[in-house]
Amino acid sequence: MSRASLDKDPHAVASMFDGVARRYDLTNTVMSLGRDRAWRRATRKALGLQPGEKVLDLAAGTAVSTVELAKSGAWCVAADFSVGMLAAGRKRYVPKVAGDATKLPFGDGVFDAVTISFGLRNVVDHAAGLREMARVTKPGGRLVVCEFSTPNVPVFATVYKEYLMRALPAVARAVSSNPEAYVYLAESIRAWPDQAALAEQIAASGWSQVSWRNLTGGIVALHTGHKPLD
């Protein structure tokens, strides 16, 4: 099976995720040592969802994150450009839509909140994706980006990078249906901007009140923002 490169050609990335879809959830849980569940809960809480609100879960994959969001009572739709990933989550009974993050198939101001977990890093033009998320969000609506980031303790950061480049692909060979995809994963995480740099990019893409907090020592960061009222 193939893996994408850091130029993030949309067709190559979608094909790569189609290839890992069958065992994607298991692989994530194993490689995160079970922390993926806590990260999903933290994302739901950060959104502050209310029953009846409309929420877009972008890059939702198999929709496991969408099911977590739906516990709030909000109406949640899963969107992803990998049809294989959406198909792998067919037994999760939430609405699912195939769509490109840079050209979302929704009207302006449809959603009360939008979130993307571990997917912004895979968008070929993530600034365009952030602008599209703002477009489909109501004025005053919320954004939460959950993404791999930079550990805030130097020694921990060194150990983490060593894990990414050596241990992570080895673990993937044991549990993933396409271990080569996780070489791309490690490379894309290392190339991703740190917390402050991503916050600047989110603010430049039309979001206000941008802030972040670290999870698991900065392995993951939750960035939040609001769409301006005017």
Side-chain angles (χ1 to χ4, degrees), residues 110-221:
V110 172
F111 297 99
D112 297 285
V114 60
T115 185
I116 182 168
S117 293
F118 308 109
L120 187 60
R121 178 175 37 81
N122 300 315
V123 178
V124 62
D125 183 348
H126 60 269
L130 287 163
R131 290 192 297 270
E132 271 291 271
M133 289 179 235
R135 180 185 66 78
V136 302
T137 303
K138 296 176 182 178
R142 293 99 66 200
L143 167 73
V144 172
V145 177
C146 180
E147 186 55 86
F148 291 114
S149 198
T150 303
N152 49 5
V153 176
V155 174
F156 183 36
T158 300
V159 172
Y160 174 59
K161 289 177 182 178
E162 189 75 6
Y163 169 76
L164 280 179
M165 299 312 296
R166 295 191 180 186
L168 188 150
V171 173
R173 282 194 292 273
V175 295
S176 173
S177 54
N178 181 8
E180 282 298 306
Y182 291 87
V183 176
Y184 160 81
L185 173 66
E187 292 173 346
S188 66
I189 293 171
R190 292 193 65 171
W192 189 242
D194 66 13
Q195 290 88 326
L198 181 58
E200 291 179 2
Q201 293 179 17
I202 293 172
S205 300
W207 296 92
S208 64
Q209 304 175 52
V210 178
S211 62
W212 76 85
R213 70 183 180 93
N214 291 322
L215 304 176
T216 319
I219 287 177
V220 168

Side-chain angles (χ1 to χ4, degrees), residues 14-35:
S15 177
M16 181 186 71
F17 278 103
D18 287 346
V20 300
R22 183 173 59 87
R23 305 189 72 181
Y24 183 76
D25 294 334
L26 171 64
T27 305
N28 282 353
T29 298
V30 170
M31 291 196 303
S32 70
L33 304 179
R35 296 303 298 166

